[in-house]
């Protein structure tokens, strides 16, 4: 259930974040900025997965779950703040 909520939250947050950044960027760097944002999003998935698995193996299942929930709450907070 948490992964479903995280996916939904990121699906809502990413377009708003991209639109906000691209509106403020000069026209000559919009393509480069979009490429950078897509690269960062692509790299974030495996880095986040490795981080959660590392916490799970080094600390505990509860610590990994807590970090995952904390990141989910942080993403939800960004979405709510951005919408307001």
């Amino acid at each position: 259930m948490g992964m479903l909520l995280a996916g939904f939250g990121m699906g809502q947050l990413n377009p708003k974040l991209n639109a906000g950044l691209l509106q403020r960027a000069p026209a000559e760097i919009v393509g480069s900025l979009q490429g950078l944002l897509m690269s960062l999003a692509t790299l974030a998935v495996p880095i986040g997965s490795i981080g959660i698995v590392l916490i799970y193996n080094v600390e505990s299942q509860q610590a990994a779950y807590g970090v995952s929930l904390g990141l989910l709450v942080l993403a939800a907070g960004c979405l709510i703040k951005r919408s307001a």
Side-chain angles (χ1 to χ4, degrees):
M1 184 63 156
M3 294 303 287
L4 177 68
L5 292 173
F8 177 77
M10 290 308 295
Q12 296 294 315
L13 183 62
N14 279 339
K16 293 177 183 180
L17 180 63
N18 283 343
L21 288 173
L22 294 176
Q23 285 177 348
R24 291 172 179 80
E28 54 273 355
I29 66 163
V30 167
S32 297
L33 182 60
Q34 187 66 26
L36 176 66
L37 291 173
M38 290 297 114
S39 296
L40 288 174
T42 302
L43 288 173
V45 172
I47 291 172
S49 298
I50 290 169
I52 295 299
V53 170
L54 184 64
I55 292 170
Y56 183 89
N57 289 325
V58 171
E59 287 294 320
S60 68
Q61 179 180 0
Q62 290 81 13
Y65 187 69
V67 169
S68 297
L69 284 179
L71 291 172
L72 179 62
V73 168
L74 182 65
C78 291
L79 179 63
I80 292 168
K81 180 181 177 186
R82 199 76 179 136
S83 297

